[in-house]
Structures are given as structure tokens and as C-alpha cells.
Amino acid sequence: MDRTLSEHEALDRIGALITSTAAVLRPHPRLEPLTLFTVPGRCQASDGGAGRIVVSRAYWLREVPARDNVHVARQVVDEWTRQGHTLVGTGGFESGHPNVSALSRPDGFVLALAWAEGDHLYLAATSPCVRPDRTPAP
């Protein structure tokens, strides 16, 4: 039986996923937390998540000129593929507004690179259902 990650362990994994991706990007971005993504969400019972939560984090990719957005998105696709993650969707490359999504392997975190108004990009990751830190391991 698989052990369910704790909230803290999931946040550590999110940090590793985001920083390992950002580390290979050129131009090298400065990561700026997006506070909108810091509140845990409840899992649905149908997801096997009764009493469990999902945690997310997102970071603006600062110091990336808008003209490099598509180039950066292609680097993200290459890096996630290299790491063995499964690409779920890509779009917006032709318009200069790239969006990329993937599932991390082997643990199923949702990964995203998203374009936002103002020609800015952000990287985000969301956990599968995890135990809140205040809940003991089974």
C-alpha cells in the first residue's frame, strides 16, 4: 500500500519541481511567489480524499522578457519531458501566450506553465490528495 504524503512533504516536492524547472531556464528567472495559490483545497471523497487536501504553489517568472515567453515555454516542455513527466497539454505558442501542463512522474503532481495578462509567465504545481500536517500517518 502506498503511503500518503503529508502536507509538508507535498510542499517540499512542489518546491523541488518548481526550482528544478526554473534552474534550467534561460534567461534565468527570478521566482516571485504568487500568494493566490497558498490556501489548501479539500479533496473530493470520490478522489479517495475524504479528510485530505491538495496544496499548490505558483511563482511568477520575473526578469523574463515577453519576447522570450515562447522560448521559455519550449524549454519547460523539454525539461519536463527529460524528467519523465507526462505532458497533458500545450497551447498558445503561435500567439505568444504559451500554456503547458503535465503530470509529474512518478507521483502525479499537476504542473503548469501559464501565460497571464501583461505578458508574464508563472510556474505552478498542485499536489495529489495529501494528509494535512495535523493528521497522523495511518
Side-chain angles (χ1 to χ4, degrees):
M1 181 172 162
D2 290 335
R3 185 181 75 79
T4 302
L5 292 178
S6 71
E7 179 178 355
H8 181 78
E9 290 168 325
L11 288 171
D12 285 349
R13 175 67 170 146
I14 286 171
L17 289 163
I18 297 286
T19 57
S20 69
T21 300
V24 303
L25 301 178
R26 299 295 178 265
H28 187 72
R30 177 178 52 83
L31 297 177
E32 180 183 309
L34 240 156
T35 56
L36 188 65
F37 290 87
T38 58
V39 177
R42 293 200 185 283
C43 290
Q44 300 295 317
S46 61
D47 293 334
R52 295 185 184 176
I53 60 172
V54 294
V55 291
S56 299
R57 292 294 183 270
Y59 297 85
W60 290 113
L61 300 182
R62 296 300 190 203
E63 299 168 19
V64 172
R67 70 177 180 275
D68 290 328
N69 283 351
V70 170
H71 177 64
V72 165
R74 290 188 202 294
Q75 292 175 69
V76 168
V77 168
D78 291 347
E79 180 61 14
W80 288 349
T81 300
R82 188 192 68 73
Q83 289 183 14
H85 305 317
T86 301
L87 290 178
V88 177
T90 60
F93 284 75
E94 63 289 338
S95 66
H97 304 154
N99 289 287
V100 180
S101 59
L103 288 175
S104 71
R105 293 288 173 230
D107 44 14
F109 283 66
V110 176
L111 306 174
L113 172 79
W115 177 88
E117 191 70 33
D119 273 342
H120 301 290
L121 296 176
Y122 66 88
L123 276 173
T126 300
S127 73
C129 293
V130 298
R131 284 185 291 108
D133 280 343
R134 64 187 180 282
T135 306

